[in-house]
Amino acid sequence: MPPETLTQPPPTGPETEPERVDVLIVGAGLSGIGTAHHLLQRCPGKTFAILEAREAIGGTWDLFRYPGIRSDSDMHTLGYRFRPWTAAKSIADGESILEYVRDTAREAGIDRKIHFGHRVMTASWSSEEARWTVTAEREDGSEATFSCAFLMNCSGYYRYDEGFTPEFPGIEDFGGTVIHPQHWPEEPEYEGKRVVVIGSGATAVTLVPAMARDAAHVTMLQRSPTYVISVPGEDPVAEALRKVLPSRALYPIVRWKNVLLQSLTYRLARNRPRLVRKLVRKGVMNALPTGYDVDTHFNPKYDPWDQRLCMVPDGDLFKVLKDGSAEIVTDRIERFTPGGIKLESGRELEADVVVTATGLNLLFLGGMRIDLDGEELDQSRSMAYKGMMLGDVPNLAFTIGYTNASWTLKADLVAEYLCRLLNHMDANGYDVCVPHLSDPSVKEEPILDFTSGYVLRSVAELPKQGSKEPWKLRQNYAVDLRKLRYASLEDGEMRFSRRVRKPDRVVA
Ligand SMILES: Cc1cc2nc3c(=O)[nH]c(=O)nc-3n(C[C@H](O)[C@H](O)[C@H](O)COP(=O)(O)OP(=O)(O)OC[C@H]3O[C@@H](n4cnc5c(N)ncnc54)[C@H](O)[C@@H]3O)c2cc1C
């Protein structure tokens, strides 16, 4: 039993009165714990609880256990605004990030507010009560009911039960072991074995150097290349400042330096894609031996930031390609064979272990069903407001981080906005806040403009965004900072009201 479960509150269920809180948070990952921390600081009078499907804090950073698991954005922006990241490593390992989230929860007493093993299944809004009734399934199949005035969804963006694996012909004939990084076994045996990692994203480029240490040989098999950039594992500016400044002073400086750098490079990539392509290519060429086929393995067809760029700390991927313990093959799979993988080019890769780093299945709002006064909401037809609420859905918000910068930058802003909203409602005696689209010129657009496979597979089922603010998602921290931290809450599209009470029935 993890230590966190020892402190959880007594269970509720249909047999008891639902636990009533002001704010119910779904998910005890980086975002859920951060949101709870903001609530404690900014809305000290509010009661809250967290429902967490798993038996642990940390979400992504507890679930993924593959070799080398680490952040691919810097911890000065992946860390919370309110809690400096003090370790030297700027690109940190999964275990350290998990510790950081757990420590945040423990020190603030947030761990005592978590109901572990509670998977939220439905949330039903009653206009009459101006409250949500939330049902959660416990691990033994029993049901628990909760009631809250505001529902805050921090359930991440993908399915926990199953990673994405395409259908590979002949996979059942393969005599070796197949592992998906999302379901990493406790004791995988790959020491001295031939490993093929299928994929070209952040997970694949992390796995290859980490597995190359112990495997006989690792092949990264990709259908198409990705932009790969080497970044320093330790931030030289942070390390220099550390000698003269305490962490509290250093953290915001390095955080802002990184925000501006990310934002500038992103904008440069979007405005001058050919220049950035050239620069990335040059960086790769410098890191690899002369004659390496950079154009086949590191030169994508799409422009930089049409899909997420891959960061590798201190060029670790390039080092294993250079020393020969790993190689990249860019080809298509024809079929699995008993001894490995046959490629369309005719080449056969021999393998004892195949790792399918083929991605995630996106999932919005943790798969929960939403009912509004008895009517089920079709989430794919709703429009996101400020990238954190849904049009015509009252008292509900969600945290989805940036695709082009660290997740937590947005998560912090969403939590701050939530606290402002709650305080504003209290100050004015409102029970309900609901964004409503009143501008007929706002057009529907897909919520994500990435061309990555995992986005294209699911984008039709996700809510839409609008063509104009506040319905447009800007993926820009500086813009969101103004809009979420400082701009007026009364923007014409957000409607506030008091609960409509039905008159008491008169008994004759
Ligand atoms: C391998 C990997 C590496 C990543 N690296 C980075 C990175 O370097 N930088 C970056 O910015 N982002 C990264 N991301 C994105 C990453 O998910 C976020 O950084 C962040 O961890 C998300 O935190 P979260 O709390 O919002 O969601 P999660 O970490 O996904 O946590 C969600 C929690 O909600 C729970 N939950 C889900 N549904 C329900 C339900 N119905 N009922 C109850 N509980 C539920 C889950 O069990 C989980 O504990 C990475 C993602 C992955 C998969």
Side-chain angles (χ1 to χ4, degrees):
M1 189 190 279
E4 299 92 343
T5 54
L6 297 172
T7 52
Q8 67 173 294
T12 55
E15 69 284 354
T16 58
E17 277 295 299
E19 181 177 330
R20 286 173 74 88
V21 286
D22 295 321
V23 184
L24 194 59
I25 299 171
V26 182
L30 190 70
S31 308
I33 300 300
T35 302
H37 200 279
H38 281 283
L39 275 174
L40 285 171
Q41 280 187 325
R42 290 158 201 266
C43 305
K46 293 279 173 212
T47 57
F48 73 89
I50 303 180
L51 301 185
E52 168 52 57
R54 303 175 70 242
E55 289 292 342
I57 286 174
T60 299
W61 303 105
D62 182 72
L63 176 75
F64 281 84
R65 299 295 175 122
Y66 57 77
I69 170 81
R70 53 167 158 77
S71 66
D72 60 1
S73 55
D74 70 279
M75 288 309 299
H76 297 95
T77 55
L78 190 58
Y80 301 116
R81 181 179 175 222
F82 55 80
R83 186 183 179 93
W85 176 259
T86 53
K89 283 253 174 272
S90 165
I91 300 295
D93 59 276
E95 189 60 37
S96 310
I97 303 172
L98 181 58
E99 274 307 308
Y100 173 84
V101 179
R102 278 187 184 154
D103 288 350
T104 307
R106 198 182 45 246
E107 284 169 26
I110 295 166
D111 52 355
R112 294 196 295 274
K113 306 272 189 189
I114 305 173
H115 296 262
F116 290 98
H118 281 65
R119 173 177 304 284
V120 174
M121 308 301 286
T122 62
S124 309
W125 170 258
S126 157
S127 296
E128 195 183 334
E129 290 178 39
R131 290 187 78 83
W132 289 97
T133 301
V134 174
T135 60
E137 197 180 273
R138 296 195 195 98
E139 290 199 328
D140 63 5
S142 63
E143 203 179 78
T145 312
F146 296 80
S147 166
C148 64
F150 202 101
L151 184 58
M152 183 64 213
N153 195 287
C154 297
S155 60
Y157 66 107
Y158 62 87
R159 267 176 71 166
Y160 267 67
D161 57 341
E162 202 175 40
F164 175 73
T165 312
E167 281 192 16
F168 293 120
I171 195 161
E172 61 288 349
D173 302 336
F174 180 54
T177 312
V178 179
I179 312 174
H180 193 287
Q182 191 166 330
H183 312 282
W184 202 259
E186 291 260 319
E187 284 179 20
E189 286 175 12
Y190 64 87
E191 217 177 286
K193 300 205 168 162
R194 296 160 304 175
V195 177
V196 173
V197 177
I198 304 174
S200 61
T203 303
V205 302
T206 302
L207 274 164
V208 169
M211 293 183 83
R213 274 182 231 132
D214 299 317
H217 184 260
V218 181
T219 306
M220 179 169 133
L221 172 59
Q222 59 179 16
R223 201 165 46 175
S224 55
T226 302
Y227 290 102
V228 181
I229 297 176
S230 176
V231 292
E234 291 183 11
D235 187 318
V237 176
E239 288 317 290
L241 288 177
R242 200 182 299 283
K243 294 186 186 120
V244 287
L245 287 177
S247 301
R248 288 244 157 244
L250 172 155
Y251 189 56
I253 298 173
V254 180
R255 194 173 159 88
W256 268 107
K257 187 258 303 169
N258 290 355
V259 164
L260 293 175
L261 209 65
Q262 272 164 12
S263 166
L264 283 175
T265 48
Y266 177 76
R267 243 182 281 160
L268 185 69
R270 300 317 280 163
N271 297 335
R272 305 277 308 274
R274 286 179 62 182
L275 171 69
V276 171
R277 178 188 285 268
K278 234 164 111 182
L279 291 173
V280 175
R281 186 171 178 277
K282 193 148 187 276
V284 176
M285 284 183 85
N286 289 343
L288 288 169
T290 317
Y292 189 91
D293 191 354
V294 170
D295 286 327
T296 301
H297 304 308
F298 286 102
N299 195 11
K301 289 200 180 77
Y302 58 83
D303 281 337
W305 279 116
D306 278 353
Q307 297 183 17
R308 218 178 150 108
L309 261 61
C310 280
M311 316 284 174
V312 293
D314 303 318
D316 61 358
L317 176 70
F318 303 127
K319 283 180 192 153
V320 292
L321 295 175
K322 222 165 157 179
D323 70 21
S325 54
E327 71 169 315
I328 297 187
V329 172
T330 305
D331 207 327
R332 286 177 168 264
I333 296 174
E334 189 180 296
R335 60 177 295 111
F336 273 67
T337 62
I341 299 174
K342 177 134 195 287
L343 304 172
E344 285 186 2
S345 64
R347 184 174 171 189
E348 187 161 345
L349 298 176
E350 291 181 349
D352 307 301
V353 177
V354 171
V355 182
T356 51
T358 42
L360 306 161
N361 286 306
L362 293 194
L363 185 67
F364 185 58
L365 298 184
M368 74 171 77
R369 197 182 110 155
I370 306 270
D371 290 333
L372 301 172
D373 291 323
E375 217 168 283
E376 187 176 347
L377 174 78
D378 179 352
Q379 295 168 17
S380 70
R381 299 186 66 184
S382 57
M383 190 178 275
Y385 170 84
K386 292 183 189 280
M388 58 161 289
M389 292 180 82
L390 293 176
D392 298 325
V393 180
N395 295 17
L396 179 144
F398 56 87
T399 301
I400 301 283
Y402 293 120
T403 51
N404 61 357
S406 280
W407 182 277
T408 322
L409 290 172
K410 179 77 182 274
D412 272 338
L413 287 180
V414 168
E416 285 178 40
Y417 182 88
L418 166 74
C419 295
R420 284 177 70 206
L421 204 55
L422 295 173
N423 290 337
H424 180 75
M425 286 164 73
D426 281 353
N428 293 282
Y430 297 132
D431 303 299
V432 180
C433 62
V434 57
H436 176 76
L437 176 61
S438 58
D439 180 352
S441 69
V442 174
K443 304 266 177 318
E444 252 185 25
E445 292 178 0
I447 196 147
L448 294 169
D449 66 353
F450 258 20
T451 59
S452 310
Y454 70 97
V455 172
L456 297 179
R457 279 197 301 277
S458 314
V459 76
E461 294 152 32
L462 301 177
K464 308 292 174 269
Q465 64 169 320
S467 54
K468 285 187 195 167
E469 284 170 23
W471 304 92
K472 183 136 187 92
L473 209 66
R474 294 294 300 267
Q475 301 283 2
N476 182 320
Y477 179 65
V479 171
D480 281 346
L481 182 87
R482 268 187 285 120
K483 302 247 144 88
L484 295 176
R485 191 178 292 165
Y486 300 114
S488 171
L489 297 164
E490 306 258 8
D491 64 357
E493 299 290 84
M494 178 69 91
R495 300 189 172 177
F496 295 94
S497 59
R498 295 196 169 86
R499 175 159 73 106
V500 185
R501 289 174 177 82
K502 276 196 183 160
D504 287 340
R505 217 189 282 156
V506 180
V507 181

